[in-house]
Amino acid sequence: DVKVTQSSRYLVKRTGEKVFLECVQDMDHENMFWYRQDPGLGLRLIYFSYDVKMKEKGDIPEGYSVSREKKERFSLILESASTNQTSMYLCASSSGTVPYGYTFGSGTRLTVV
Amino acid sequence: QQQVKQSPQSLIVQKGGISIINCAYENTAFDYFPWYQQFPGKGPALLIAIRPDVSEKKEGRFTISFNKSAKQFSLHIMDSQPGDSATYFCAATTGTYKYIFGTGTRLKVLA
């Protein structure tokens, strides 16, 4: 069964910590995405990558960075975690061909205290 | 113009009833409209999708109705079941790999 795996289901971090969220896909997909999901706001795109070492900012990149050193792995980095980054983080991947159907991971619920 | 507006935010339906979720868009360049279903503790999963060259697509109890002139599309769940209780997201794309998602509808089907 093809899948997108996020390394942690729940994380609790302290304000100011550097936080790494890891995502691995086994579908040989070109594209990978990081979203955050908040009630009433839906899915908001943080960053995406269409190739190894390539990245583009999404709609809310402030306070985040990403790394894609290998095709199957896409990491989201919170440089200095803040309480307003408490959220559900979803990783997704898609193939490089139309219609680019997304496959999502199960999410990481991050709480910053 | 890149937004997809989804309504209602939440919906309660009796078992056996019809659930209807609506989405509206402005960008006429959108050419693919998927719906995603998300159960608690899980990531969203593709449910059904439509292209603007058809007005309706049906898969089992799930139907997408598409109105190109009104720039609206909707998801209908016939004979709604408690197992359909989930959050539903509509989305749109211009044929690129970047989707624009609606804000989601939390559906609860009462037994």
Side-chain angles (χ1 to χ4, degrees):
Chain A
D1 190 21
V2 293
K3 58 184 178 182
V4 175
T5 302
Q6 294 184 231
S7 55
S8 303
R9 289 298 306 275
Y10 300 95
L11 276 179
V12 180
K13 296 293 182 180
R14 295 195 179 278
T15 301
E17 275 193 79
K18 190 169 186 176
V19 181
F20 293 85
L21 303 183
E22 306 289 341
C23 176
V24 177
Q25 52 99 358
D26 64 1
M27 295 167 282
D28 200 34
H29 279 170
E30 287 79 2
N31 309 313
M32 296 189 74
F33 309 81
W34 276 105
Y35 286 85
R36 63 177 283 176
Q37 180 177 11
D38 300 287
L41 298 177
L43 302 172
R44 293 183 292 167
L45 181 62
I46 304 171
Y47 266 97
F48 64 101
S49 168
Y50 51 88
D51 200 354
V52 176
K53 296 190 185 294
M54 304 301 290
K55 61 185 179 183
E56 285 196 25
K57 294 180 180 179
D59 300 317
I60 51 165
E62 297 77 20
Y64 303 94
S65 63
V66 291
S67 172
R68 192 167 180 201
E69 297 296 319
K70 293 184 177 181
K71 188 176 185 179
E72 66 272 18
R73 187 179 298 270
F74 192 36
S75 302
L76 179 69
I77 304 156
L78 286 67
E79 297 291 344
S80 177
S82 64
T83 55
N84 62 14
Q85 292 178 310
T86 291
S87 186
M88 170 68 83
Y89 289 88
L90 289 165
C91 176
S93 71
S94 76
S95 71
T97 56
V98 176
Y100 310 110
Y102 281 26
T103 301
F104 282 90
S106 294
T108 296
R109 183 164 295 280
L110 173 67
T111 302
V112 182
V113 298
Chain B
Q1 203 180 28
Q2 281 291 88
Q3 283 187 320
V4 176
K5 296 183 179 179
Q6 183 172 348
S7 63
Q9 189 170 2
S10 63
L11 181 61
I12 300 174
V13 174
Q14 294 288 338
K15 179 182 176 182
I18 302 173
S19 304
I20 302 174
I21 303 170
N22 300 299
C23 285
Y25 63 96
E26 290 295 325
N27 188 350
T28 55
F30 287 146
D31 65 356
Y32 182 68
F33 302 88
W35 284 89
Y36 282 77
Q37 179 188 54
Q38 183 183 28
F39 292 109
K42 301 289 187 182
L46 179 64
L47 181 64
I48 186 173
I50 197 168
R51 293 197 179 276
D53 53 345
V54 296
S55 61
E56 185 175 281
K57 183 173 182 179
K58 184 176 181 179
E59 290 184 3
R61 295 183 296 106
F62 299 91
T63 300
I64 300 178
S65 296
F66 188 84
N67 187 329
K68 190 174 182 178
S69 60
K71 291 183 283 187
Q72 295 175 349
F73 59 109
S74 59
L75 177 69
H76 297 236
I77 306 174
M78 313 300 288
D79 187 26
S80 298
Q81 299 297 312
D84 297 329
S85 297
T87 299
Y88 293 82
F89 293 95
C90 63
T93 182
T94 58
T96 70
Y97 42 76
K98 186 178 173 184
Y99 284 12
I100 308 299
F101 285 91
T103 51
T105 296
R106 183 173 290 185
L107 170 66
K108 184 174 179 61
V109 181
L110 302 177

